[in-house]
Amino acid sequence: MAEAKEEVVPSEEQQQQLSSTSDGPEDTQPSVRSEDTGERAAKGEAAPSIPQQGAGSVASPVDQFRLRRFFVLRPGTLNQAIKDVEALVDKEVDGSVHSIWLMAEVDHWNNEKERLVLITDSSLLVCKYDFVMFICEYIQRIPLNFVDRISYGTFSFPNKSILKREGEGVRVFWDRLREPSFTSRWNPFATDFPFITFTHHPVRNIGDKFTTLCDIQTFREQLKDAAQRVHAMKPVPGKANGVLVLNQNIHIDAYVGIMSFLGNQNKLGYCMARGNIGF
């Protein structure tokens, strides 16, 4: 004889509880731990300020393109890069770090190169950082008491040059008595120039944090103040003290530059995702 099954019918109060539970929206978003936020604040760290799509807002195609391709915009990448380059600062030579900047270096052949730039107590550090492999490939150290001139303005080229560059730049000089040799001017790999040129990083308009990190005007002012302090504390014998700030065109003495044109158009100087390969 088959055993009868007893059907359990929930009470009216239980049915109301089940109905209120099932009707509410299911929360499928990952929660944010308050402990993690407190730990970041205690360490002085900040997550990359990448714009989020809120209700009724749609990111522009340009923003979507940049968010996908520039590795510096990937969550946690910039914070890790800053930690890595700060760990390489020589406290005895450079002192403490005052500020960190994300910029693009423009060389004498008009090639753009992604850089992290640090202003410390005694030095200007220009770091080539690989945002794909998370490694600093090299650091150029410029003593601040050798910085004697800072010029800023729009870019210019010779009259017969076919090259063009929009926007503004900042050029830092540290040996006004030495001019680049003829060989260096025509050598695309020369690194013995007594100056270095910076311009805005392409991601400067992604969010407020990147706008601040890529602000070359504020960088220029802070660099001038830091160099003036070091000039007063550690003057160089036989060298005029002080920093001369000039508002003038940033001249690039290049005429053809086919490689720089192709490289800049394809952003070869940046760590970006390029199909299935990242450079």
Side-chain angles (χ1 to χ4, degrees):
M1 181 175 180
E3 182 179 359
K5 294 184 179 179
E6 182 180 0
E7 182 179 2
V8 179
V9 180
S11 64
E12 182 178 355
E13 181 180 357
Q14 290 174 333
Q15 291 179 358
Q16 292 178 356
Q17 292 177 354
L18 291 172
S19 175
S20 62
T21 303
S22 61
D23 291 342
E26 182 179 1
D27 185 11
T28 60
Q29 300 297 326
S31 61
V32 179
R33 293 174 52 195
S34 60
E35 294 86 358
D36 293 344
T37 306
E39 291 175 1
R40 287 182 177 274
K43 295 180 181 179
E45 300 174 15
S49 178
I50 299 178
Q52 302 293 331
Q53 296 186 17
S57 65
V58 179
S60 69
V62 175
D63 287 347
Q64 294 177 5
F65 170 79
R66 289 171 174 169
L67 287 171
R68 286 197 307 266
R69 302 192 65 189
F70 283 93
F71 278 98
V72 71
L73 297 178
R74 304 296 172 93
T77 299
L78 182 60
N79 287 343
Q80 183 61 47
I82 291 175
K83 289 181 181 179
D84 291 343
V85 296
E86 283 183 332
L88 298 176
V89 175
D90 190 334
K91 299 296 183 180
E92 296 183 359
V93 177
D94 305 314
S96 301
V97 177
H98 288 271
S99 57
I100 300 178
W101 308 86
L102 177 65
M103 297 187 182
E105 178 187 347
V106 182
D107 68 9
H108 60 294
W109 274 45
N110 195 39
N111 295 294
E112 289 183 16
K113 304 171 184 178
E114 191 172 37
R115 296 290 183 262
L116 281 174
V117 183
L118 288 72
I119 299 178
T120 70
D121 289 332
S122 304
S123 306
L124 174 66
L125 303 177
V126 183
C127 307
K128 180 182 179 182
Y129 189 86
D130 188 338
F131 291 100
V132 181
M133 301 301 296
F134 293 99
I135 185 172
C136 183
E137 297 184 355
Y138 75 82
I139 296 179
Q140 181 181 2
R141 177 178 285 105
I142 303 167
L144 290 179
N145 56 345
F146 280 77
V147 174
D148 50 36
R149 184 163 36 119
I150 301 174
S151 62
Y152 66 97
T154 57
F155 289 97
S156 65
F157 293 87
N159 294 331
K160 297 182 180 180
S161 176
I162 65 173
L163 297 174
K164 292 182 180 180
R165 172 175 291 278
E166 303 295 334
E168 298 180 341
V170 172
R171 179 167 288 174
V172 183
F173 299 82
W174 56 84
D175 192 350
R176 68 177 67 183
L177 299 179
R178 180 168 63 91
E179 291 292 333
S181 64
F182 177 82
T183 304
S184 297
R185 290 179 184 273
W186 288 96
N187 180 6
F189 305 105
T191 58
D192 58 345
F193 284 78
F195 59 81
I196 190 168
T197 307
F198 301 107
T199 190
H200 293 288
H201 194 287
V203 303
R204 67 185 182 278
N205 295 323
I206 287 295
D208 293 339
K209 179 176 182 178
F210 286 97
T211 300
T212 302
L213 284 173
C214 303
D215 188 354
I216 61 174
Q217 305 303 333
T218 305
F219 163 76
R220 182 196 76 216
E221 296 171 359
Q222 292 193 14
L223 178 62
K224 180 199 70 175
D225 295 339
Q228 293 281 25
R229 289 194 299 266
V230 180
H231 273 286
M233 296 173 56
K234 302 176 182 178
V236 179
K239 189 178 181 68
N241 293 323
V243 180
L244 182 63
V245 180
L246 301 173
N247 184 359
Q248 61 183 17
N249 291 338
I250 306 297
H251 189 71
I252 299 178
D253 194 16
Y255 290 86
V256 182
I258 296 177
M259 294 304 298
S260 67
F261 174 79
L262 295 176
N264 295 340
Q265 287 293 321
N266 294 282
K267 296 292 186 290
L268 297 182
Y270 299 87
C271 292
M272 298 179 63
R274 309 175 195 279
N276 294 326
I277 302 175
F279 291 98

